[in-house]
Amino acid sequence: MKKLVVIILVLFSINTFSQSRGVIGKWNTIDEVSGKAMSVVEIYEHNNKIYGKVIEILNPKNRNNTCKDCPGDDHNKPILGLVIIKGLVKDGLEYNDGRILDPKSGKLYKCYIELEGTDKLKVRGYLGFSLIGRTQYWERVK
C-alpha cells in the first residue's frame, strides 16, 4: 500500500511540474504541409509579458535569411535572433493581446497562444477577429 501511495505521489509531482512549466521554454515550429520542424522559438517572460525569439533555424540553407518585408525595426534583420512573438499577457489558460510576426511574409498579426498539453502549443495569428486567421501547433523541444 505504501508503494502505491509513493507511486501516485511521484506521478502527481511529475504532472504538476510539467504543467507548471507552462508556455515558457523552447518550441519547435512545425511546417503545416510537411509536418517537419522548421525552427526553434524560445518563449520567455519579460516585464510580465510573453515573448518568443527564433533561436535556431533547422534548415542550413535558411540560416542566414533576413526579414526583408518586416516592418519597422525588424526590417532586414536576420531571422535568427528575431523576436516574433511580442507582448502577450496571461488571460486564464491562454496568452493574448500581443502580436506575432511572420518572417516569411513580414506581416504582423494579433496573436494568442495556449497549451494543448504539456508538450503541444496552439499558436493562432489573426486579423481583426480570431475567426480570420491561421493556427499552428508547436512541439516542445525535449
Side-chain angles (χ1 to χ4, degrees):
M1 184 65 174
K2 287 183 182 180
K3 287 182 181 181
L4 180 61
V5 170
V6 170
I7 291 171
I8 291 172
L9 287 174
V10 168
L11 291 175
F12 179 75
S13 298
I14 290 170
N15 187 41
T16 301
F17 173 74
S18 296
Q19 291 290 339
S20 70
R21 292 191 304 175
V23 299
I24 304 297
K26 296 177 183 175
W27 296 89
N28 285 316
T29 65
I30 306 298
D31 181 72
E32 296 131 350
V33 176
S34 69
K36 293 181 181 180
M38 302 299 288
S39 66
V40 177
V41 172
E42 183 173 21
I43 296 182
Y44 60 95
E45 185 175 352
H46 178 69
N47 291 334
N48 296 319
K49 292 190 177 186
I50 297 296
Y51 296 85
K53 176 194 270 188
V54 178
I55 62 167
E56 189 174 353
I57 296 174
L58 301 175
N59 184 338
K61 290 189 273 183
N62 297 331
R63 288 195 182 133
N64 295 320
N65 288 359
T66 59
C67 199
K68 295 175 186 146
D69 297 321
C70 288
D73 292 339
D74 293 331
H75 181 69
N76 281 333
K77 276 192 176 175
I79 294 172
L80 187 61
L82 192 64
V83 176
I84 62 167
I85 295 176
K86 303 175 182 192
L88 297 176
V89 179
K90 186 167 177 59
D91 182 14
L93 296 176
E94 71 180 40
Y95 295 79
N96 55 38
D97 290 333
R99 304 268 183 215
I100 188 166
L101 175 66
D102 179 355
K104 287 183 182 178
S105 70
K107 295 191 180 192
L108 199 57
Y109 299 95
K110 291 181 180 179
C111 174
Y112 76 83
I113 61 176
E114 180 178 11
L115 279 177
E116 293 272 318
T118 56
D119 295 328
K120 188 175 184 181
L121 184 68
K122 178 180 181 180
V123 180
R124 178 122 179 112
Y126 59 94
L127 295 168
F129 301 100
S130 66
L131 295 174
I132 304 169
R134 188 174 98 207
T135 300
Q136 289 186 335
Y137 291 92
W138 297 357
E139 298 170 353
R140 191 180 298 273
V141 174
K142 299 192 186 215

